[in-house]
Amino acid sequence: MNRDLTNYRKSYNKSVLVEKNLPELPFKLFSNWFEEVEKAGGVEEANAMTITTTGIDGFPKARIVLLKHYDQNGFVFYTNYLSEKGKAIANNNKVCISFFWPNLERQVIVKGIAQKITEEDSIRYFKSRPIGSQLGAWASHQSELIDSREILEQKLKSLEEKYKDAEIEKPPFWGGYNVIPVEFEFWQGRANRLHDRIRYLKHEGWKVDRLSP
């Protein structure tokens, strides 16, 4: 396997990011960008984000999860607390989340502290999920070794039978995390690779700096 990708080229010229137009709070800029990405179209899941944790083996690991809520208090996603990422967060709750929106040539990187949300909020969201997703949370012991796909499918069939006339309770090992930001970086692609990079750093409010591309 040997493939040269050096001829991949793209010119970025869709927008600019300048200090005079910045809101005081990074949450406002994120919300503005998110809405603009949605309106522009071309991104199937604008709420897809990469979360990077430091594993108990000392290695960083990144994977895609779905953002389910955001406000000035942070960014909420849901997972199995006993999964690899859940164990990593329990060991070190300093995480990084990032969004890449190629339709508007934008990226947002957020460093933050991951904390479990309340059980009540997790239950509320769990009940809003499709039945198949609720059962899937029970069927899969996320990140554990499994001998075959058929084992999962059989578990799901058994759960469908068990809960066909009953309400599905939330698994105790499943729920939400809120990532509380301590730093935002907003990246806007620009021509000649001279991209705009604006950082908001939490420091008795939010300190705003421009970073060299």
Side-chain angles (χ1 to χ4, degrees), residues 90-144:
N91 185 62
N92 181 353
N93 66 349
K94 294 179 179 179
V95 303
C96 182
I97 59 176
S98 62
F99 302 82
F100 178 52
W101 296 313
N103 62 336
L104 293 183
E105 300 170 350
R106 290 174 175 173
Q107 179 177 197
V108 182
I109 302 171
V110 182
K111 294 179 183 178
I113 306 300
Q115 296 181 349
K116 288 182 180 178
I117 65 174
T118 66
E119 183 71 1
E120 292 75 18
D121 285 342
S122 288
I123 291 172
R124 187 179 302 110
Y125 172 70
F126 183 81
K127 289 182 177 180
S128 75
R129 304 179 88 204
I131 290 176
S133 297
Q134 293 182 23
L135 294 176
W138 278 105
S140 174
H141 294 169
Q142 192 175 10
S143 301
E144 291 188 4

Side-chain angles (χ1 to χ4, degrees), residues 142-179:
Q142 192 175 10
S143 301
E144 291 188 4
L145 293 175
I146 188 169
D147 290 333
S148 68
R149 169 85 188 180
E150 287 70 28
I151 292 175
L152 277 179
E153 294 175 347
Q154 186 56 52
K155 283 185 179 180
L156 183 60
K157 287 181 180 179
S158 297
L159 288 163
E160 288 172 342
E161 182 64 25
K162 177 181 178 179
Y163 289 107
K164 66 179 181 180
D165 297 315
E167 182 179 3
I168 306 168
E169 66 269 23
K170 183 190 76 66
F173 51 80
W174 188 97
Y177 288 100
N178 182 40
V179 178

